[in-house]
Amino acid sequence: MRKAIMAMVMSIAGVATAGRALASSDAAWAQFNTRVTKACIAASGMRGARVSSIVGFDDRVGMVAMLVNGQGRKPAMLCLYNKRTRTAYVDEASGWRAPPARAGR
């Protein structure tokens, strides 16, 4: 009986710590953000590029996005970053703007 109780306690402890192991640390998120930013800037080919915040999607999509702006008259570029392959894809996003906020919001 005592062994059964100990086995149950160890099993519960294992499940509790497994959940914590799956969570990403702040350092891991910072490293991911840096990797995405560098990949998107490189794929855009823009000098002096500025980037938006990363737009994350559900893990089932496997992609994140960001907008990359450069100096001069170059149009903004939309960057999609594939988390599995660590590859960035860009295309022009000229004219993309957030719509004005509606009254009452």
Side-chain angles (χ1 to χ4, degrees):
M1 173 95 165
R2 188 173 182 180
K3 285 184 181 181
I5 292 172
M6 282 301 287
M8 193 179 331
V9 168
M10 294 301 283
S11 177
I12 291 170
V15 169
T17 57
R20 280 190 226 135
L22 296 176
S24 295
S25 67
D26 290 342
W29 279 114
Q31 184 180 28
F32 173 75
N33 291 344
T34 299
R35 184 170 52 243
V36 171
T37 300
K38 285 181 178 181
C40 286
I41 289 172
S44 76
M46 293 183 180
R47 291 181 184 222
R50 297 180 328 272
V51 297
S52 69
S53 299
I54 294 174
V55 178
F57 295 92
D58 186 289
D59 283 341
R60 294 173 292 179
V61 175
M63 305 280 259
V64 295
M66 72 172 20
L67 202 59
V68 183
N69 291 305
Q71 296 175 339
R73 295 179 180 240
K74 278 193 167 186
M77 304 290 278
L78 177 64
C79 176
L80 298 178
Y81 179 84
N82 184 313
K83 295 189 289 186
R84 184 178 57 78
T85 63
R86 295 184 177 189
T87 306
Y89 304 91
V90 295
D91 203 350
E92 284 188 16
S94 56
W96 276 33
R97 288 183 179 71
R102 292 192 310 215
R105 280 193 150 181

